Amino acid sequence: MASPLIFHYKPGQDPVRRMPTLIKLPLAVAFAVWASLCPEWGLFPAFLAILYAAKIARISWISFLRLLPPLLFLFLVTGILPLLQAHNFLDVLADGLLRTFRFGLLLAAGHILTTTTNPATLAATLEKLLTWTGPQASRTLATMASLALTAVPGILDRASALREAALLRGWNSAKKPWILAKIWTLPLLRVLLERGVWTAWSLELRGWRSLKK
Amino acid sequence: MTTPVLETVGLVHTFDDGRRGLDHVSISFLPGTFNILAGANGSGKTLFLRHLVGLTVPTEGTILLNGAPANKNWNLARQQMGFLFQDADAQILEATVLEDALFGPRHQGIPHEKAEKIAKESLALCGLDHREEDLTSLLSGGEKRRLNLAGVLTLGASILLLDEPFNGLDQPGVEAFLRILIDLQRQGRTIVLVTHDLEKCLAHSSSLTLWHEGRILATGSPDQVWDEIPRAGVHRPCVGRENWKELTWLPR
């Protein structure tokens, strides 16, 4: 296809995929905490860990490039816009870069986790890990996670298809890039809501009563 | 001898993991013909259509449009080739029917009055003229399909590439869509249609191409390739080879 998918589960037999989700999920959470809060030197081993995991899980390097747009946006917000009012440009720029890098590691870890783990298994494991919060809370959290995990790939797919449809019908991406915002907003919101409604119906049909339990 | 309107020469697509999505596909389509591509899921039919309109770049091979490489100017090539996705919703870009049909002409820089005329003509051709002001979200599955078709017709496409257009359509939906396709073919347009449902439209085909694992298993008139149909992972309709011209959902 045009570009490799991100946040999509792809079955396989490598060590990352074979690792029990009950171990993989806490590891991912620990990684997220480390990548978010570690001192600057700690980002290097975190980066190496991502490279190593991606290599043994055989995840296409090109797929990581699709994480760039949100990162560039984040860098614009945290690194470039504050420059307008900053006195120390280099510090602000470095701070923006650091935040973007940390967020990039989180996205990359999420990409590896969702590519190597079946969404249903992931949601079930999350529920299992959160049983201490009580059945209602753990089920709700697992449901939300499941919804997010299934909705994100669907939304990305639809966004990509809409972009292609516009290209095929004469839209010039270089001249009028803002048209994308217009054609994406309503359909993508609709996909998100539809996914939510279908998941809710599916849960109700399988015996979950949100108002009673 | 008639020159093909669309031709691929040795088209190869290799995925990142080394698998071949398309394996040296060479095929040509003559103008004004109705061509059916059939094969099992994952045999490369959709990937092939994406290559034809430049949404995917081939690893090797050439796509010739009216004898010239299509990749010289994809914008021009895409005006001549209208591509309908499998998912009708994914191709609807605006909130109302008329606005959606206007998307193409507007982005070609056609003045509003002329663009509206083109859009209205395309909608009328696809039987949607009575729904111009309606919200696209209120259309039925068959109407969404026809809106997709109207959208690509506004660009003046002479070749229509259709990816499983009958999926999820009921009898009236298939019938209405098929009638439009046959009319468009009679007007001289070339149809390239991917489908598993041979019983719905085989009678109208000029050629049937069977796909298997990224390769062309057989191509020719339906009676020529009849015996190969099951090998391509496609259900062979329960009629004899000599009766393939009965295979249509249009009433006799």
Side-chain angles (χ1 to χ4, degrees), chain B residues 16-155:
Chain B
D16 289 342
D17 58 8
R19 280 181 308 118
R20 280 270 165 96
L22 295 176
D23 197 356
H24 295 93
V25 175
S26 297
I27 187 171
S28 57
F29 303 105
L30 296 174
T33 50
F34 193 120
N35 308 276
I36 294 180
L37 313 183
N41 290 335
S43 59
K45 310 176 300 290
T46 299
L47 184 62
F48 175 68
L49 293 189
R50 290 175 60 85
H51 275 282
L52 294 181
V53 289
L55 289 178
T56 308
V57 181
T59 314
E60 283 175 42
T62 318
I63 298 155
L64 300 170
L65 184 63
N66 295 314
N71 63 357
K72 292 258 178 191
N73 186 345
W74 276 121
N75 283 339
L76 195 66
R78 285 166 181 168
Q79 284 172 28
Q80 294 176 56
M81 290 188 280
F83 179 27
L84 257 66
F85 298 171
Q86 241 179 73
D87 179 359
D89 279 315
Q91 212 162 358
I92 293 175
L93 304 169
E94 298 283 359
T96 69
V97 171
L98 182 60
E99 284 293 311
D100 190 73
L102 275 169
F103 186 94
R106 257 187 203 157
H107 286 272
Q108 281 183 315
I110 296 172
H112 182 73
E113 276 182 19
K114 196 179 172 197
E116 198 165 296
K117 187 172 172 276
I118 293 171
K120 285 186 172 181
E121 279 171 5
S122 294
L123 288 173
L125 194 67
C126 296
L128 288 171
D129 41 345
H130 62 296
R131 305 215 58 177
E132 281 172 8
E133 302 304 323
D134 289 346
L135 289 173
T136 48
S137 54
L138 298 178
L139 298 181
S140 69
E143 287 169 332
K144 282 179 182 170
R145 261 297 152 223
R146 284 186 276 142
L147 177 58
N148 294 164
L149 187 58
V152 301
L153 288 175
T154 56
L155 300 175

Side-chain angles (χ1 to χ4, degrees), chain A residues 1-4 10 60 62-63 158 160-172 176 179 182-183 186-187 190 194, chain B residues 13 15-17 47 50 53 55-56 78 83 85 87 89-95 100-101 103-104 107 137 144 151-152 155:
Chain A
M1 295 288 130
S3 46
K10 201 176 164 192
S60 150
I62 304 165
S63 70
R158 179 58 61 86
S160 166
L162 286 166
R163 186 181 171 278
E164 289 175 352
L167 276 174
L168 292 176
R169 282 164 70 184
W171 167 63
N172 186 327
K176 293 182 179 175
I179 294 290
K182 188 182 163 217
I183 59 171
L186 278 179
R190 216 175 115 208
E194 275 175 7
Chain B
H13 182 95
F15 290 111
D16 289 342
D17 58 8
L47 184 62
R50 290 175 60 85
V53 289
L55 289 178
T56 308
R78 285 166 181 168
F83 179 27
F85 298 171
D87 179 359
D89 279 315
Q91 212 162 358
I92 293 175
L93 304 169
E94 298 283 359
D100 190 73
F103 186 94
H107 286 272
S137 54
K144 282 179 182 170
V152 301
L155 300 175

